[in-house]
Amino acid sequence: MKFGVVVFPGSNCDQDCHHVIENVIRQPVEYIWHKSKKLDGVDCVVIPGGFSYGDYLRCGAIARFSPIMDAVIKFANSGGLVIGICNGFQVLLEAGLLPGAMLRNKDLHFICKFVELEVASTGTPFSSGYKKGQKIRIPVAHNEGNYYIDDKGLAELKKNDQIVFRYTDNPNGAVADIAGIVNKERNVLGMMPHPERSSEAELTSQDGLPIFQAIVERLKKNG
Amino acid sequence: MYEAQVRVTLKRTVADPQGLTVKHALESLGFNDIAGVRMGKFITLQLKAKDQAKAEAEAKDMCAKLLANPIIEDYAVEVIKS
């Protein structure tokens, strides 16, 4: 089992993700520079948070065309597990691996604080360690987390149980309080909150840890 | 050479918190007859295309692939000789 953390110029949560995988859930993990064209046999790809390419043009819009992204898209389309956190979520939206787009936060503030989430779906390889309806505490840190999707798209998300996390007190104006979604096939997760910042007791919340543990369980099952 | 002038704007159906804030700021300056403010991006492209039609087609292709996100944005392209 091996995790790969993709690093773009401007990524800044790559080391946090690497740390949690290596030292908290104790699994093999390597960095993958965005110029690489292959994933080197990883079983789960993590697209971390940060400000890839300085958020120029639109968040994630330039990173989406980095050389590594062709391999990530192929990996995702063949069922590989991909998790995009914060800027990573934005990259997955721009790449078309997840539906919708991000707008600036409703009140224009950069929001950096713990938020409460409700686990809306446990039927994914990422959220199977939670109970449906469970309230968890995970921090957000973003300027463009105001998730947008049109009514038709929202109806699809609901019909297919693709909404995984919802804010209990919407901080950014996101449609339907959406904090995290999966694709229809359920192997790609995008979420604005940072589970890697809430996986150790020292950080006052370990509510993000079950996500990493659930991935490990799934990969073990896959053999 | 041609210059393509690209305007990228949020779709009418998409809320624009930035535009709304600028509207409030203008109103606090005493401009009280504003019906609406929308923010967008203006991009100029210097193109080496052979003719105007080619320059326009190329610029539109760039908009579709990268410069605009069709889920939330509209774009308009105008090409002038430069």
Side-chain angles (χ1 to χ4, degrees):
Chain A
M1 184 187 311
K2 191 164 73 174
F3 286 75
V5 178
V6 176
V7 184
F8 298 104
S11 294
N12 67 10
C13 299
D14 43 341
Q15 293 187 28
D16 307 53
C17 290
H18 191 281
H19 163 74
V20 168
I21 296 163
E22 184 171 51
N23 301 313
V24 182
I25 60 166
R26 300 189 178 278
Q27 296 297 328
V29 55
E30 62 183 44
Y31 292 114
I32 303 167
W33 182 235
H34 74 112
K35 284 205 167 152
S36 164
K37 285 188 176 151
K38 41 186 213 284
L39 289 167
D40 271 339
V42 304
D43 303 292
C44 175
V45 173
V46 181
I47 318 258
F51 300 85
S52 57
Y53 292 91
D55 277 354
Y56 291 170
L57 194 62
R58 293 179 307 277
C59 305
I62 315 275
R64 177 256 173 278
F65 290 103
S66 271
I68 192 63
M69 286 308 293
D70 278 343
V72 172
I73 290 166
K74 237 180 248 162
F75 179 76
N77 287 339
S78 64
L81 298 185
V82 178
I83 170 170
I85 300 165
C86 199
N87 187 228
F89 187 6
Q90 295 163 340
V91 173
L92 294 176
L93 292 169
E94 284 285 341
L97 285 173
L98 291 170
M102 284 297 171
L103 298 169
R104 286 192 76 169
N105 294 342
K106 196 178 66 182
D107 62 3
L108 301 179
H109 290 162
F110 186 99
I111 306 168
C112 183
K113 63 175 185 186
F114 269 99
V115 295
E116 188 183 68
L117 307 174
E118 180 184 306
V119 180
S121 174
T122 54
T124 80
F126 312 96
S127 59
S128 57
Y130 297 113
K131 289 196 180 73
K132 195 174 163 78
Q134 187 178 340
K135 304 285 199 301
I136 56 176
R137 205 172 139 259
I138 297 187
V140 293
H142 59 245
N143 199 37
E144 281 89 2
N146 181 352
Y147 178 76
Y148 174 82
I149 191 162
D150 61 17
D151 291 342
K152 203 172 139 230
L154 180 63
E156 277 285 300
L157 287 183
K158 286 181 176 166
K159 192 182 86 189
N160 300 320
D161 190 33
Q162 285 174 256
I163 302 170
V164 183
F165 300 111
R166 285 181 194 265
Y167 303 108
T168 59
D169 185 10
N170 192 337
N172 53 29
V175 164
D177 303 323
I178 288 173
I181 55 167
V182 284
N183 60 344
K184 228 177 184 171
E185 294 73 23
R186 317 190 82 70
N187 62 307
V188 178
L189 169 75
M191 63 188 295
M192 289 313 293
H194 288 268
E196 80 283 10
R197 294 188 192 177
S198 47
S199 287
E200 291 163 282
E202 292 89 336
L203 299 176
T204 74
S205 168
Q206 290 173 283
D207 289 351
L209 189 56
I211 293 176
F212 295 101
Q213 290 169 330
I215 296 170
V216 172
E217 287 309 309
R218 168 56 66 97
L219 292 178
K220 271 187 192 157
K221 246 188 246 166
N222 289 356
Chain B
M1 288 269 276
Y2 293 90
E3 179 172 293
Q5 302 183 334
V6 177
R7 277 186 304 142
V8 180
T9 48
L10 281 173
K11 283 183 191 292
R12 286 279 151 199
T13 49
V14 172
D16 177 11
Q18 230 187 146
L20 201 61
T21 304
V22 170
K23 178 172 180 280
H24 291 329
L26 288 170
E27 282 163 350
S28 74
L29 290 173
F31 296 100
N32 290 316
D33 53 353
I34 309 168
V37 177
R38 304 281 291 178
M39 303 283 285
K41 295 184 188 111
F42 183 70
I43 304 164
T44 58
L45 305 161
Q46 310 300 326
L47 300 173
K48 295 183 223 160
K50 286 207 178 72
D51 58 57
Q52 188 144 347
K54 278 205 177 97
E56 191 172 327
E58 205 175 19
K60 282 186 174 161
D61 196 25
M62 292 177 194
C63 287
K65 287 200 173 113
L66 176 66
L67 299 179
N69 180 338
I71 296 169
I72 46 171
E73 293 170 328
D74 291 323
Y75 59 84
V77 176
E78 201 180 322
V79 176
I80 53 171
K81 212 161 166 50
S82 67

